[in-house]
């Protein structure tokens, strides 16, 4: 392997320049403020965790975990999500806290990728966990909050697709009894949105025509509340019917929130069967092919840390939202330029401190022969009424302390 050049970095990670950082922090602040308004308190956890605890409990497959050894030879992992670390905290530091717990976060997470996949190995998530409430009200709350958070982030056109893992589990148990391998193959196709592969797998199973038609029909189960009504007629399995009834309750609560225009029931939207236990959802922006939000119910995770409790939550893909908003025009930066010479230094720097105390962004520069011509051009404008550019930086305010300490404006 050739030695990397001094300016190279590992595949899957990126540098964020000031403009991108400003946008990312703006998204973060707006979303966390929205979450705080819903009663969620921010939490922070370590970047590294033990593999045998958080790593094993994570929804991330083992081959996608970044693993490292400490000086004692113990295997650690870089966090691949925030849900498992928060579950650890809820079961330990917050073990005496009453349920429900409403926690929010903004963090970078790490997932090993194949180099040709073109995906990020490090990215940012902003999300919430609602722990200790198993109701449809709780599921609807996190969906409604995901919608409010996307709006707070600046995403205007999007849809939230919600499903329930119990529906397909029940339907497959009813129609493919004892054929676990076939069930897993069909689930894998749906998880990967491979509908062509799903139909091909069905044909290979040589099912009776009514069963074949029924299982192909779930691909058309997308829409509003009428989908719930139709699905209740599709299966007599108790688990499937209970799952659909739960989705119907969620829909009723979302109607009360007034957000159903953003929601689509999609019974092929199943999430990771090994992790999610109930309602699951993804949010898609109109101008981006990847999901910008995902979440659902995971009632089995907390028991792995010794405190059994139901839980539901979601994460915004903050980095993808940044990509989505990247082509929009920047808001005008409120920044003031103060220039001075040797005689005006004290007065200029005192003025800068005064303005900074008032919350104004201020850049100071001592005038020398090289910058004198650019400085004179600004000074000749008189009172600055419109944003201007000086040495590649935009400013909305200007003052100078040149010529024996006197302000010339």
């Amino acid at each position: 392997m050739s030695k990397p050049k001094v300016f190279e970095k590992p595949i899957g990670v990126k540098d964020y320049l000031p403009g991108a950082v400003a946008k990312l922090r703006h998204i973060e602040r707006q979303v966390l403020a929205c979450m705080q308004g819903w009663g969620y308190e921010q939490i922070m956890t370590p970047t590294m965790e033990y593999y045998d605890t958080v790593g094993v409990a994570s929804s991330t497959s083992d081959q996608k975990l970044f693993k490292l050894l400490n000086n004692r030879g113990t295997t650690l992992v870089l966090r691949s999500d925030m849900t498992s670390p928060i579950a650890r905290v809820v079961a330990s530091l917050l073990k005496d806290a009453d349920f429900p717990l409403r926690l929010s976060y903004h963090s970078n997470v790490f997932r090993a990728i194949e180099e040709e996949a073109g995906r990020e190995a490090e990215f940012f998530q902003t999300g919430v966990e609602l722990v200790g409430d198993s109701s449809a009200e709780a599921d609807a709350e996190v969906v409604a909050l995901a919608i409010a958070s996307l709006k707070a982030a600046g995403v205007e056109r999007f849809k939230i697709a919600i499903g329930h893992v119990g529906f397909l589990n029940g339907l497959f148990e009813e129609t493919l009894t004892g054929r676990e391998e076939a069930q897993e193959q069909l689930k894998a196709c749906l998880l990967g949105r491979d509908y062509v592969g799903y139909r091909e797998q069905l044909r290979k199973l040589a099912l009776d025509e009514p069963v074949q038609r029924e299982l192909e029909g779930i691909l058309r189960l997308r829409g509003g509340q009428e989908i719930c009504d139709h699905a209740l007629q599709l299966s007599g399995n108790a688990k499937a019917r209970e799952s659909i009834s739960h989705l119907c309750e969620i829909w009723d609560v979302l109607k009360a929130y007034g957000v159903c225009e953003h929601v689509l029931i999609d019974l092929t939207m199943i999430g990771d069967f090994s992790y999610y236990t109930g309602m699951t959802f993804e949010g898609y922006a109109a101008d981006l092919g990847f999901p910008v939000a995902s979440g659902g119910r995971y009632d089995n995770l907390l028991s792995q840390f010794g405190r059994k409790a139901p839980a539901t939550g979601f994460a915004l893909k903050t980095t993808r939202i940044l990509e989505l908003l990247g082509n929009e025009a920047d808001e005008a930066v409120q920044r003031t330029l103060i220039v001075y010479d040797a005689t005006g230094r004290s007065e200029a720097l005192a003025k800068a401190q005064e303005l900074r105390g008032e919350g104004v962004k201020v850049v100071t520069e001592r005038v020398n022969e090289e910058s004198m011509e650019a400085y004179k051009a600004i000074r000749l404008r008189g009172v600055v009424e419109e944003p201007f550019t000086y040495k590649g930086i935009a400013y909305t305010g200007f003052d100078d302390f040149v010529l024996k300490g006197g302000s010339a404006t």
Side-chain angles (χ1 to χ4, degrees):
M1 175 182 286
S2 61
K3 184 177 179 180
K5 298 182 175 65
V6 293
F7 55 80
E8 286 186 316
K9 56 187 179 298
I11 292 174
V13 299
K14 65 188 298 184
D15 301 306
Y16 292 87
L17 298 181
V21 172
K23 289 181 180 179
L24 186 65
R25 294 306 181 205
H26 175 75
I27 294 169
E28 171 192 348
R29 287 192 299 269
Q30 294 296 107
V31 172
L32 287 174
C34 174
M35 293 169 174
Q36 186 177 32
W38 286 57
Y40 288 76
E41 299 178 287
Q42 188 175 359
I43 189 172
M44 297 176 67
T45 66
T47 303
M48 292 184 295
E49 297 273 3
Y50 284 119
Y51 169 75
D52 288 334
T53 56
V54 168
V56 171
S58 170
S59 63
T60 307
S61 60
D62 195 75
Q63 64 267 28
K64 291 184 178 180
L65 295 175
F66 277 105
K67 301 175 186 176
L68 56 156
L69 297 177
N70 65 10
N71 55 3
R72 298 179 182 177
T74 305
T75 304
L76 308 175
V77 292
L78 299 181
R79 62 182 174 221
S80 62
D81 61 32
M82 281 295 294
T83 304
S84 295
I86 289 177
R88 174 184 57 75
V89 172
V90 169
S92 55
L93 297 177
L94 294 176
K95 66 180 185 299
D96 297 323
D98 293 333
F99 290 140
L101 286 171
R102 289 176 168 84
L103 302 171
S104 64
Y105 60 86
H106 175 82
S107 297
N108 55 341
V109 296
F110 305 85
R111 294 178 191 170
I113 58 170
E114 296 183 9
E115 293 186 1
E116 65 272 14
R119 297 188 177 183
E120 294 181 326
E122 179 187 15
F123 52 95
F124 292 89
Q125 290 184 338
T126 311
V128 303
E129 311 297 345
L130 173 49
V131 184
D133 189 338
S134 61
S135 68
E137 300 276 343
D139 285 330
E141 178 177 315
V142 298
V143 173
L145 178 51
I147 291 169
S149 298
L150 285 170
K151 290 180 178 179
V155 182
E156 296 179 351
R157 299 190 299 149
F158 61 90
K159 280 287 186 182
I160 301 288
I162 63 173
H164 199 295
V165 299
F167 171 71
L168 281 177
N169 277 336
L171 183 62
F172 286 162
E173 286 175 7
E174 180 184 31
T175 56
L176 298 171
T177 306
R179 305 178 70 173
E180 283 77 13
E181 183 178 351
Q183 292 182 31
E184 292 304 317
Q185 290 173 343
L186 292 173
K187 290 175 183 178
C189 290
L190 292 176
L191 184 60
R193 296 293 188 179
D194 181 7
Y195 301 137
V196 173
Y198 177 83
R199 289 189 176 95
E200 290 177 352
Q201 288 295 331
L202 282 179
R203 284 193 287 271
K204 291 178 182 178
L205 296 176
L207 301 170
D208 293 338
E209 179 61 27
V211 176
Q212 175 91 13
R213 190 166 55 250
E214 180 180 2
L215 293 181
E216 280 195 5
I218 68 172
L219 298 179
R220 296 186 292 274
L221 292 180
R222 298 193 197 99
Q225 189 167 12
E226 73 280 359
I227 298 301
C228 285
D229 300 333
H230 181 66
L232 283 173
Q233 301 171 9
L234 189 63
S235 175
N237 179 271
K239 181 186 295 184
R241 294 181 65 83
E242 181 182 349
S243 301
I244 294 302
S245 295
H246 188 80
L247 272 184
C248 290
E249 289 184 61
I250 293 173
W251 184 270
D252 288 340
V253 181
L254 292 175
K255 278 199 296 188
Y257 276 113
V259 297
C260 286
E261 64 180 295
H262 295 289
V263 181
L264 174 75
I265 293 176
D266 181 354
L267 294 182
T268 67
M269 229 311 302
I270 58 177
D272 186 345
F273 271 94
S274 65
Y275 184 72
Y276 290 113
T277 59
M279 181 274 298
T280 181
F281 70 92
E282 288 185 342
Y284 289 88
D287 302 316
L288 195 66
F290 299 101
V292 292
S294 63
R297 178 161 291 281
Y298 52 97
D299 288 347
N300 295 333
L301 178 62
L302 270 293
S303 62
Q304 297 185 53
F305 295 95
R307 190 183 185 188
K308 183 174 176 57
T312 185
F314 73 88
L316 297 191
K317 321 293 185 182
T318 320
T319 313
R320 288 180 179 170
I321 293 174
L322 178 65
E323 294 175 13
L324 181 67
L325 304 179
N327 293 327
E328 294 186 358
D330 292 330
E331 296 181 3
V333 178
Q334 302 297 315
R335 186 188 291 115
T336 292
L337 172 67
I338 293 179
V339 297
Y340 60 91
D341 62 7
T343 58
R345 179 193 295 126
S346 296
E347 188 178 357
L349 298 184
K351 180 66 173 179
Q353 291 293 79
E354 177 187 340
L355 291 175
R356 288 168 182 151
E358 298 171 358
V360 179
K361 297 185 180 77
V362 180
V363 173
T364 61
E365 180 175 311
R366 177 171 172 172
V367 177
N368 54 33
E369 291 184 4
E370 294 179 1
S371 59
M372 184 63 73
E373 291 304 315
Y375 153 69
K376 285 180 179 179
I378 299 172
R379 188 178 180 186
L380 288 174
R381 293 166 60 114
V383 177
V384 176
E385 296 180 350
E386 298 180 357
F388 65 94
T389 300
Y390 177 71
K391 294 188 176 180
I393 304 295
Y395 295 92
T396 55
F398 173 71
D399 204 349
D400 70 84
F401 294 83
V402 180
L403 303 177
K404 301 180 180 179
S407 177
T409 58

